[in-house]
Amino acid sequence: MSVSPALPSVSSVAPPTQAELFDFVRRTAADAELIDSLPLDPEGRTWVRLEGPGGSEAWLIGWPPGTGTGWHDHAESVGAFITAAGELKENSLGARLPADGWKTLELSDNVDHERRLPAGKGRSFGQHHVHEVLNESTDAHAISVHAYYPPLPQIRRYSRAGQILRLEHVERPEDWQ
């Protein structure tokens, strides 16, 4: 009688969906002890990396008054974020941009979307979602929870003047970790 060696098991775990990422950020934002543990800086954003579901990348971020991200996208990652304290504003583009091969684009009219996200409100988004997130308060910090899958391969940073969007530079994980 011969015995065959056992074959390694192949994981068939599916990557987290946008809905699962949103559920994670919602549950995490409800953890008052975690939210209160984030050190807040009066001048610059602060962040702590979290363990996200299914191998996703997650962050708890503190936003001093008057701070924001600037226009950017998360490349091929899908994601979700929610405001845990304070209020954030998201400006986004309702148009899919070409993934590569451009430096300057003229945007169509009516592509701009604005969302006010007080504590408990957030959203999920697909690949190549271009947005900026702002804390427009003059006197209060905001705190948010973010999750991305796959873990961020890059962030593309843009400048905007009217309807002209210009790719300025590309950040890699080693730039922010």
Side-chain angles (χ1 to χ4, degrees):
M1 175 172 156
S2 71
V3 178
S4 299
L7 296 174
S9 66
V10 176
S11 175
S12 62
V13 176
T17 65
Q18 288 179 45
E20 290 166 333
L21 292 173
F22 187 77
D23 184 56
F24 168 80
V25 298
R26 183 187 50 75
R27 285 183 286 108
T28 303
D31 182 342
E33 186 176 335
L34 176 65
I35 301 308
D36 292 343
S37 75
L38 180 66
L40 299 176
D41 183 305
E43 296 179 17
R45 285 190 297 154
T46 55
W47 54 87
V48 173
R49 188 161 184 167
L50 305 172
E51 188 68 36
S56 64
E57 180 174 344
W59 298 90
L60 178 62
I61 301 176
W63 306 75
T67 59
T69 60
W71 288 95
H72 68 283
D73 71 15
H74 305 100
E76 291 79 30
S77 296
V78 298
F81 73 100
I82 193 166
T83 305
E87 179 177 277
L88 293 171
K89 175 183 165 187
E90 180 198 36
N91 295 318
S92 63
L93 299 180
R96 181 157 176 130
L97 303 182
D100 292 308
W102 65 277
K103 289 282 189 186
T104 304
L105 287 176
E106 184 170 355
L107 301 171
S108 309
D109 291 335
N110 303 319
V111 297
D112 292 296
H113 298 284
E114 176 184 306
R115 286 182 179 81
R116 296 274 172 192
L117 302 168
K121 298 290 182 191
R123 64 161 311 176
S124 64
F125 52 85
Q127 296 177 331
H128 307 287
H129 175 69
V130 177
H131 68 164
E132 67 175 347
V133 180
L134 309 159
N135 177 5
E136 293 186 321
S137 173
T138 58
D139 61 357
H141 269 79
I143 298 175
S144 56
V145 180
H146 303 246
Y148 310 98
Y149 189 86
L152 296 172
Q154 64 184 17
I155 295 176
R156 292 181 289 205
R157 300 275 178 191
Y158 305 99
S159 63
R160 184 162 178 197
Q163 295 304 103
I164 303 298
L165 187 71
R166 180 181 311 278
L167 175 64
E168 295 294 340
H169 68 276
V170 177
E171 294 176 5
R172 307 256 180 243
E174 56 271 16
D175 297 327
W176 64 80
Q177 293 186 19

